[in-house]
Amino acid sequence: MSEYMEKVEREMQRWEHKTRREPSMPAKVSKRWQNKINSRLPERFHAVVTESVRQMVQAALVSSDYLSDLDKLEDVPLEERESIFDKRVTTYKRTAAVEGAGTGFGGVLLGVADFPLLLTIKMKFLFDAGKIYGFNVDEIEERMFLLHVFQLAFSREEKKKEVFHKITNWEENVRSLKGEAADLRDLDWRSFQLEYRDFIDLPKTLQLIPGFGAIVGATANYHYLDILAYHAKNSYRHRLLNG
């Protein structure tokens, strides 16, 4: 095994341990605070986020909204793929940071607008990641895989373990998952977005503060793209090396 592949194996082991661990006490306390925040935010705020997530999932399943001009990589060694992937991550993190800073300057109105904009950046990144790792993101099964990676990145610990099992057993589960395309169009968007919101709540709420929100927005968006890239990289590594 090459030195690079040994590094990959170590990082995948750490990814599995981190993803499957039990909820920590700080996470449980944070959840209680998030419930209080959710209950006090205006209904319009919930409605915007819910609709944004609903449109994101539907677009990911059936449209070409998130496709870029990046070609699917064929017959490329993993190390070269990941060099290209890392450069793409840097570009998307900068884009997300600039977007978060811009909307953070405007307080509540622009802060609400940040949710659909950031979702679009995240999904475009995931579609590019799929191509870099050599998968055909035109196929419904691959688009569903991207949505599972999104859930893995932005879910609480309990949900992470469930989604992690699906991702790491993707080839075994893909037949049953094919039937989920229709279900995903009809799922409980409010619950789906709250799962997402539980992960990002406090920083994105602070982003609604005019002026100060620009600093929070830039930092938070950069960080969340980093988290998404971490789970995308290891999810695709697992498929390539264990498929």
Side-chain angles (χ1 to χ4, degrees):
M1 182 181 293
S2 69
E3 182 177 342
Y4 187 79
M5 291 308 298
E6 289 179 355
K7 170 179 171 289
V8 168
E9 290 290 344
R10 288 195 302 270
E11 290 179 354
M12 288 178 59
Q13 288 172 6
R14 288 196 293 270
W15 169 63
E16 179 172 358
H17 174 75
K18 183 177 180 179
T19 306
R20 299 180 68 179
R21 67 189 177 189
E22 293 299 318
S24 63
M25 184 58 67
K28 294 177 181 178
V29 173
S30 175
K31 172 60 178 172
R32 289 197 292 270
W33 277 101
Q34 287 163 348
N35 287 338
K36 291 182 180 180
I37 292 171
N38 282 336
S39 66
R40 294 181 181 181
L41 288 171
E43 184 59 31
R44 179 191 171 202
F45 194 69
H46 288 294
V48 168
V49 180
T50 299
E51 180 62 16
S52 298
V53 173
R54 184 187 69 80
Q55 291 182 1
M56 177 204 78
V57 175
Q58 290 188 331
L61 287 172
V62 300
S63 80
S64 59
D65 291 355
Y66 301 127
L67 291 174
S68 70
D69 57 0
L70 181 71
D71 292 328
K72 183 181 76 167
L73 298 186
E74 304 276 5
D75 301 321
V76 177
L78 181 62
E79 186 171 0
E80 184 178 340
R81 290 184 192 277
E82 298 201 329
S83 175
I84 296 170
F85 176 88
D86 290 342
K87 291 175 184 176
R88 208 72 172 183
V89 170
T90 299
T91 299
Y92 273 98
K93 286 198 295 188
R94 289 172 179 166
T95 300
V98 169
E99 185 274 319
T103 55
F105 271 116
V108 174
L109 291 178
L110 287 181
V112 171
D114 174 68
F115 280 93
L117 292 173
L118 182 58
L119 284 172
T120 298
I121 293 170
K122 288 174 177 175
M123 291 309 299
K124 283 181 177 291
F125 163 72
L126 284 177
F127 271 67
D128 280 1
K131 291 180 181 180
I132 289 169
Y133 279 93
F135 293 92
N136 184 2
V137 295
D138 288 329
E139 296 178 354
I140 185 67
E141 295 81 9
E142 292 306 323
R143 294 180 174 215
M144 291 170 66
F145 184 81
L146 297 180
L147 289 173
H148 281 77
V149 172
F150 181 92
Q151 281 189 295
L152 181 66
F154 303 116
S155 295
R156 294 168 294 159
E157 283 85 347
E158 298 90 340
K159 185 68 175 179
K160 279 185 186 297
K161 288 188 285 187
E162 174 189 332
V163 180
F164 179 84
H165 178 75
K166 286 187 176 182
I167 283 177
T168 54
N169 294 275
W170 189 255
E171 301 308 321
E172 295 177 16
N173 294 323
V174 71
R175 290 188 183 85
S176 62
L177 289 170
K178 286 180 181 179
E180 288 187 9
D183 296 336
L184 282 170
R185 295 189 186 96
D186 298 325
L187 57 71
D188 183 350
W189 304 113
R190 178 67 172 250
S191 296
F192 190 98
Q193 67 94 356
L194 283 174
E195 186 75 35
Y196 175 55
R197 282 276 308 285
D198 277 354
F199 194 93
I200 68 172
D201 235 330
L202 185 57
K204 302 310 282 183
T205 303
L206 292 175
Q207 188 178 337
L208 303 181
I209 303 172
F212 176 69
I215 300 172
V216 176
T219 303
N221 285 9
Y222 189 95
H223 174 62
Y224 293 135
L225 257 294
D226 214 20
I227 292 172
L228 185 60
Y230 171 74
H231 286 287
K233 174 182 277 189
N234 285 291
S235 296
Y236 277 115
R237 281 172 167 176
H238 190 279
R239 284 189 71 185
L240 287 177
L241 300 178
N242 297 279

